[in-house]
Amino acid sequence: MEPYSSLYWQGPVPNTFEPTGPNLVAVNRGELQITPRTTKYFESLYDGSINYVDDMLRQLFSDLARLRLSDQITLVLTSDHGEEFREHGRMVHQQVYPETLRVPLIFLHPGLHKPRRVQSLVESIDIAPTLLDIAGLAIPQQSGRSLVDLLLGGHEPEESQAYAESFVNPTRTVLRLNKNGFSQFLATSLLQSDQKPVWVSHSVSFDVASDEIRFRVSSYNQPRVLRVELNGVEDGSHKIRPDAWTTIEIAPPQGVPLARI
């Protein structure tokens, strides 16, 4: 490949596949392999896209000022999600982590004369009620809240939290974020022998109908310790490796219905 130089990448472009959504999802399924260098190159392309958006916004603000519209409109700058570059083992935005959830949310409004940074956690569902409030329209009694009071310098609540949810079959993940950090609940169906593996980020729990639990596990990136609980009581720990599958077999005591991995 020819050497390539930019603000975000120096040196030859890796000989790899096109970083389209389907290809990157295939990486998550283990159907395509990706090296750390290629991951960094894809990340540099993403950074370049962000720089392009900055240039377009600069042109937009210049045109609004030229047309004397800057003091007559409300602008909201935000994004639907961020992207993960294998910080947690995957690409794109299939998992609920801060890398994919924390996005810009900037309100530009003629009535907001002083810049203000709101520290409280807010959610995307708050955008619509805020715009309705700014426009003087009724806010439906649905999810979300108006942020106008916060934007105008109102008192921020001592406690704030936000939720997110992800569905990637056969896995469902719910995340709660507050001032103490974030926590995840992950649920997945048990795999049949002919199904492809599923990546479990933190933990998984399931009911056991048989008198034996048997599954195969492999870790991501480095050796790890897998802890198993039966009905809330730790049953033991197992060392697992990233380069091999380890078979775990457990015989739960009679009457114990739940295993937590």
Side-chain angles (χ1 to χ4, degrees):
M1 303 293 290
E2 293 295 325
Y4 179 73
S5 177
S6 73
L7 180 62
Y8 307 100
W9 180 262
Q10 302 291 330
V13 174
N15 186 16
T16 187
F17 50 82
E18 185 179 358
T20 62
N23 282 341
L24 296 178
V25 171
V27 171
N28 297 342
R29 293 196 297 259
E31 298 169 359
L32 290 175
Q33 301 303 313
I34 188 172
T35 66
R37 179 173 172 79
T38 299
T39 302
K40 188 64 178 176
Y41 171 67
F42 287 167
E43 187 175 2
S44 73
L45 297 180
Y46 185 69
D47 291 340
S49 299
I50 295 174
N51 188 65
Y52 171 77
V53 172
D54 288 344
D55 288 341
M56 294 300 99
L57 289 175
R58 187 179 300 109
Q59 183 64 51
L60 172 63
F61 295 145
S62 176
D63 289 344
L64 290 176
R66 178 175 56 82
L67 296 172
R68 298 181 180 180
L69 294 175
S70 300
D71 295 333
Q72 301 182 42
I73 64 173
T74 297
L75 274 176
V76 180
L77 305 177
T78 189
S79 176
D80 51 348
H81 54 76
E83 299 291 347
E84 177 189 346
F85 292 92
R86 308 207 80 183
E87 290 90 347
H88 305 281
R90 286 183 174 177
M91 298 290 288
V92 297
H93 45 272
Q94 289 190 315
Q95 301 186 106
V96 284
Y97 281 103
E99 287 84 356
T100 57
L101 298 179
R102 289 187 178 276
V103 296
L105 179 55
I106 304 173
F107 285 88
L108 303 174
H109 179 65
L112 304 175
H113 303 295
K114 294 182 178 180
R116 173 175 171 78
R117 180 185 293 272
V118 174
Q119 300 296 334
S120 301
L121 287 170
V122 300
E123 302 176 274
S124 298
I125 57 175
D126 299 330
I127 297 175
T130 303
L131 291 176
L132 290 172
D133 198 359
I134 290 175
L137 301 176
I139 302 175
Q141 297 299 316
Q142 296 178 352
S143 299
R145 59 185 175 121
S146 171
L147 304 176
V148 168
D149 187 55
L150 286 177
L151 295 173
L152 294 177
H155 177 70
E156 295 192 35
E158 294 183 4
E159 294 289 337
S160 59
Q161 55 188 3
Y163 292 86
E165 193 168 13
S166 171
F167 290 90
V168 180
N169 290 333
T171 303
R172 172 175 176 258
T173 308
V174 178
L175 178 142
R176 183 182 69 183
L177 181 66
N178 57 29
K179 67 178 182 180
N180 297 319
F182 71 92
S183 57
Q184 282 189 345
F185 169 79
L186 186 146
T188 184
S189 61
L190 289 175
L191 297 175
Q192 303 298 323
S193 59
D194 59 343
Q195 288 184 287
K196 295 179 180 179
V198 59
W199 178 255
V200 177
S201 305
H202 278 174
S203 65
V204 60
S205 61
F206 49 85
D207 293 325
V208 180
S210 66
D211 56 2
E212 182 185 61
I213 304 171
R214 187 175 186 274
F215 55 92
R216 299 171 68 225
V217 294
S218 176
S219 66
Y220 168 72
N221 191 40
Q222 61 185 6
R224 301 175 188 272
V225 174
L226 175 73
R227 291 189 299 272
V228 179
E229 293 180 4
L230 296 176
N231 202 23
V233 179
E234 187 164 331
D235 181 71
S237 60
H238 308 266
K239 293 182 178 180
I240 56 177
R241 297 161 44 192
D243 57 349
W245 289 91
T246 300
T247 299
I248 308 295
E249 294 183 280
I250 305 170
Q254 187 176 4
V256 176
L258 179 67
R260 184 174 300 277
I261 309 297

